Amino acid sequence: MRIDILSVVPRLLDSWFGESILQRAQQKGLAEVVVHDLRAYSTDKHKRVDDYAFGGGAGMVMQIEPIDRCISALKAERAYDEVIYMSPDGERLDQPLANRLSTVNNLIILCGHYKGVDERVREHLVTREVSIGDYVLSGGELAAAVLSDSLIRLLPGVLNDETSALSDSFQDGLVAPPVYTRPAEYKGWKVPDVLLSGHEARIEAWRHEQALVRTRERRPDLPGAASETFGEG
Ligand code: 6GU
């Protein structure tokens, strides 16, 4: 998967993709993330990428030309499956959307700033708008990093344990069960006996039951909350 991210603050994203799982995914050739500075596509002598809103009002608006020039240059190199604009009024990102988007080859992600982008960008250049939640961020960069991370970690071979992305919270409509590590007792606080029993089937049943109990308590809105209790009846 290749992800091209368009930003007026590219440095915000450079460190994020240069570390940890995301860096390893790129070193293994499973993902490629390229961050583009929209100012490099400005034809203005001061490299401006924004201007006042027609009709007045507070806040600057990102101009269409640098965005169009950057997207056109990218499209001349390869075909893109989606051009995504990160926006608080977009479709809410959830695990099913991440799963679907993780199967595409090439993605452009546009980060908004200021009062947003000229509406013609959304009408003519963008194929999809995505929000990461009902709150406003000062720019789309964090949201683009969240979206990219949620996709890249799903690519086959990115996580060491092949099953671990599948057993994540939300993949089966359930939140994750609790996990523990050594020591088995700390300040008198004990790890549940079943996890120390070595009995795989019982451990699996316990984890499923815990996931179900937690989902009903914390996220009754998730589809897994309505599923049957493991081993019941
Ligand atoms: Cl995608 N962008 C901004 N600026 N704020 C947001 C968002 C995106 N998603 C939630 N809040």
Side-chain angles (χ1 to χ4, degrees):
M1 166 180 262
R2 176 177 167 125
I3 303 178
D4 290 275
I5 305 181
L6 282 48
S7 167
V8 290
V9 211
R11 276 183 305 144
L12 283 178
L13 293 159
D14 288 342
S15 69
W16 187 259
F17 291 104
E19 300 288 337
S20 186
I21 287 173
L22 296 176
Q23 183 189 36
R24 250 184 296 128
Q26 294 186 79
Q27 284 167 348
K28 286 200 242 173
L30 302 170
E32 187 178 4
V33 179
V34 185
V35 182
H36 303 270
D37 184 353
L38 279 171
R39 280 181 214 287
Y41 294 87
S42 171
T43 52
D44 178 85
K45 63 172 182 282
H46 303 296
K47 296 286 167 209
R48 280 185 65 168
V49 291
D50 62 322
D51 209 332
Y52 297 99
F54 279 129
M60 306 299 278
V61 177
M62 285 171 65
Q63 294 175 289
I64 189 169
E65 193 188 11
I67 296 168
D68 186 38
R69 280 164 46 94
C70 184
I71 291 175
S72 295
L74 289 171
K75 283 183 173 172
E77 297 292 323
R78 67 194 66 75
Y80 283 89
D81 301 279
E82 299 268 8
V83 178
I84 298 177
Y85 175 50
M86 301 310 301
S87 163
D89 53 10
E91 176 183 2
R92 181 94 65 88
L93 178 64
D94 58 12
Q95 195 61 53
L97 179 58
N99 293 350
R100 274 185 278 131
L101 289 174
S102 74
T103 65
V104 311
N105 292 319
N106 299 311
L107 216 54
I108 290 174
I109 302 180
L110 171 64
C111 303
H113 250 267
Y114 320 116
K115 271 280 161 202
V117 297
D118 186 304
E119 186 65 19
R120 291 166 292 184
V121 170
R122 302 168 79 165
E123 284 171 5
H124 301 291
L125 304 179
V126 164
T127 61
R128 184 190 281 275
E129 304 194 3
V130 175
S131 164
I132 63 164
D134 287 345
Y135 41 83
V136 179
L137 304 169
S138 37
E141 282 75 14
L142 275 174
V146 167
L147 175 60
S148 302
D149 184 292
S150 76
L151 305 184
I152 291 170
R153 63 191 302 288
L154 293 173
L155 301 176
V158 168
L159 299 184
N160 293 327
D161 178 355
E162 282 290 347
T163 63
S164 74
L166 283 176
S167 63
D168 283 341
S169 275
F170 302 117
Q171 279 298 12
D172 45 10
L174 295 166
V175 303
V179 294
Y180 299 85
T181 187
R182 289 186 289 181
E185 183 172 344
Y186 181 73
K187 293 184 174 175
W189 304 326
K190 288 183 180 158
V191 171
D193 284 337
V194 60
L195 295 178
L196 310 176
S197 69
H199 198 298
E200 270 186 53
R202 264 183 231 153
I203 291 170
E204 206 36 56
W206 180 86
R207 285 185 171 147
H208 186 81
E209 188 188 298
Q210 289 293 311
L212 201 53
V213 168
R214 289 199 158 193
T215 304
R216 287 178 179 157
E217 278 173 8
R218 298 168 185 226
R219 294 297 308 273
D221 57 303
L222 290 181
S227 63
E228 274 173 55
T229 303
F230 195 85
E232 205 175 54

